Amino acid sequence: MTHKDFPGLTLLPDSCMLSSCVRLVPTTVRPVHSLICNSSRSFMDLKTLLSSLNDFASLSFAESWDNVGLLVEPSPPHIVNTLFLTNDLTEEVMEEALQKKADLILSYHPPIFRPMKRITWKTWKERVVIRALENRVGIYSPHTAYDAAPQGVNNWLAKGLGACTSRPIHPSKAPNYPTEGTHRVEFNVNHTQDLDKVMSAMKGIVDVSVASFPARIDDEQQTRISLNCTQKALMQVVAFLSQNRQLYQKTEILSLEKPLLLNTGMGRLCTLDESVSLATMIERIKRHLKLSHIRLALGAGRTLESLVKVVALCAGSGCSVLRGVEADLYLTGEMSHHDTLDAASQGINVILCEHSNTERGFLSDLQDMLGAHLENKINIILSETDRDPLHVI
């Protein structure tokens, strides 16, 4: 296979590479033997890399409305030497990524969100896709999967508050049920009844799994039927059981819920080890986000000297996550005018830092974490041109 930067160079499989190679600092002129020596540490197949990224933070954590994962894929095989991290993939950032020879761009926000009916030179997002394809650069977006992850964006944002304990505001649920179906139906069948008929009828319904075991009720030997089914199949099960009044009256129907995932979910509710003044908290947040200014809405009856013990936070746009949460302070990037008024009327202080300012700093931590997770097999670099579009002047 060949690398896009060196079309005449054939790359050896990992098993053929030298086992002890020193990683060289890139220079203007790269000798062929240096590239070969470095290959065992500096390249990953795209599919292998995507699998490792999913192991780091599963895309199943993402919200159902989100568009996450591999958004642009060059024709296979595609080898990744340089992974380029950015919060937003603008045209300026794309130009930087191409100059730095990126093979895969990890854009926290998905540059493709709404469906595209055509790919032309008309809009900036279409041009980004075109340039990626022309230059064989993949685009991957984790977005809300990284918001929910235990080591993700919201966890990083909470680090700026000081010593505290935190939990997700909206916990994530396991992507798969421990059992099949959304409901469990249980009932007993007397041996005098036609057990075979009941079992045959249940097994004949699509999306139903049936189990049976002996049970003794009031010294009478019976058979306990337990079945899992989908919402749609449940109606058919109930229709059959209701034909036998005695059977149906003793039927139990349970709604199955996916188990919650520990430390995973949207937003964070943080309880400080020690209360601090609002003024102190503002300075901590500015320092953590490297901002000279933030926007503040004082809660009713609050001052800069009011104590803060509980902080509810959500990176990005936090309206839907923070709404109704009891806290001394809401911390997010942006919030609607009316949601801000509602929070302030309840005595809750609101700090707004602009959308991506509450996310971008996470990328430095991500660079280190991915480097360790991927065992430094590829180069991981941060965008230097990526920035929030809003500035205080």
Side-chain angles (χ1 to χ4, degrees):
M1 58 188 173
T2 61
H3 189 262
K4 70 183 178 74
D5 297 332
F6 300 87
L9 175 65
T10 300
L11 302 181
L12 299 175
D14 286 349
S15 59
C16 298
M17 299 302 174
L18 299 177
S19 59
S20 58
C21 298
V22 177
R23 188 174 182 181
L24 302 179
V25 177
T27 58
T28 303
V29 179
R30 288 178 287 185
V32 172
H33 73 273
S34 297
L35 180 63
I36 295 176
C37 181
N38 195 31
S39 295
S40 63
R41 285 180 52 81
S42 296
F43 292 87
M44 288 184 73
D45 174 73
L46 177 60
K47 290 184 178 180
T48 302
L49 176 55
L50 293 177
S51 178
S52 295
L53 289 175
N54 195 64
D55 290 339
F56 173 76
S58 174
L59 294 177
S60 64
F61 296 162
E63 295 291 275
S64 60
W65 49 262
D66 208 355
N67 189 36
V68 297
L70 186 63
L71 305 185
V72 174
E73 179 182 12
S75 57
H78 186 61
I79 301 302
V80 178
N81 165 255
T82 298
L83 176 63
F84 182 89
L85 308 182
T86 183
N87 202 79
D88 292 292
L89 183 53
T90 62
E91 289 186 279
E92 182 182 10
V93 173
M94 172 58 81
E95 181 62 33
E96 179 193 5
L98 295 179
Q99 290 179 0
K100 294 181 177 178
K101 306 299 183 183
D103 304 292
L104 179 66
I105 298 172
L106 188 154
S107 176
Y108 167 74
H109 284 139
I112 303 174
F113 190 77
R114 297 181 180 87
M116 290 183 171
K117 293 185 177 182
R118 58 183 59 84
I119 304 295
T120 69
W121 206 247
K122 186 175 182 179
T123 69
W124 72 270
K125 288 191 175 183
E126 292 175 72
R127 291 193 292 271
V128 164
V129 173
I130 291 172
R131 298 207 69 195
L133 291 172
E134 287 179 338
N135 290 276
R136 290 188 55 75
V137 177
I139 301 175
Y140 176 92
S141 177
H143 201 201
T144 53
Y146 277 13
D147 288 346
Q151 76 283 29
V153 182
N154 283 305
N155 186 65
W156 166 82
L157 186 57
K159 289 181 181 179
L161 304 180
C164 65
T165 57
S166 68
R167 63 175 177 82
I169 295 174
H170 297 295
S172 296
K173 295 181 179 180
N176 299 311
Y177 283 92
T179 55
E180 297 177 1
T182 59
H183 291 79
R184 176 170 296 162
V185 181
E186 295 188 349
F187 55 91
N188 293 334
V189 177
N190 296 330
H191 282 291
T192 55
Q193 294 172 305
D194 191 352
L195 177 60
D196 292 338
K197 179 180 178 181
V198 173
M199 291 293 289
S200 177
M202 294 297 102
K203 292 180 179 180
I205 301 175
V206 179
D207 294 329
V208 170
S209 59
V210 187
S212 63
F213 49 90
R216 179 170 290 276
I217 307 296
D218 296 330
D219 292 330
E220 180 182 2
Q221 189 66 31
Q222 300 183 5
T223 299
R224 183 72 170 174
I225 306 296
S226 178
L227 61 89
N228 292 340
C229 62
T230 62
Q231 178 73 43
K232 182 178 179 180
L234 176 64
M235 304 313 297
Q236 298 179 61
V237 172
V238 169
F240 173 80
L241 295 177
S242 62
Q243 297 174 16
N244 186 320
R245 183 178 179 183
Q246 183 179 4
L247 193 65
Y248 186 58
Q249 285 181 338
K250 297 181 179 179
T251 296
E252 296 179 345
I253 301 177
L254 307 174
S255 177
L256 301 179
E257 290 287 339
K258 296 178 182 179
L260 300 180
L261 296 176
L262 186 65
N263 301 322
T264 306
M266 294 300 159
R268 293 293 184 270
L269 187 64
C270 307
T271 303
L272 301 175
D273 291 355
E274 296 183 6
S275 300
V276 297
S277 69
L278 177 59
T280 297
M281 181 56 66
I282 290 172
E283 291 308 311
R284 287 181 180 180
I285 292 169
K286 284 182 178 179
R287 185 164 56 249
H288 184 58
L289 301 184
K290 299 178 181 179
L291 297 175
S292 57
H293 298 83
I294 53 92
R295 290 191 287 165
L296 170 68
L298 277 174
R302 307 297 187 224
T303 69
L304 290 177
E305 298 307 313
S306 296
L307 294 180
V308 173
K309 179 70 173 179
V310 178
V311 180
L313 62 82
C314 179
S317 180
C319 289
S320 61
V321 174
L322 301 179
R323 190 179 294 124
V325 177
E326 294 185 7
D328 301 312
L329 171 66
Y330 285 174
L331 170 61
T332 187
E334 59 180 325
M335 183 180 285
S336 74
H337 175 77
H338 296 288
D339 280 311
T340 302
L341 288 177
D342 287 343
S345 71
Q346 300 171 52
I348 301 172
N349 303 299
V350 178
I351 290 180
L352 305 179
C353 306
E354 307 310 342
H355 190 112
S356 66
N357 288 337
T358 57
E359 304 161 336
R360 184 169 290 102
F362 166 72
L363 295 180
S364 294
D365 280 14
L366 179 64
Q367 183 182 31
D368 294 335
M369 289 188 290
L370 286 182
H373 181 72
L374 300 175
E375 299 177 336
N376 296 315
K377 292 179 180 177
I378 60 174
N379 303 314
I380 304 176
I381 58 178
L382 289 177
S383 172
E384 298 177 11
T385 58
D386 175 44
R387 60 180 61 87
D388 195 274
L390 294 174
H391 302 273
V392 177
I393 60 174

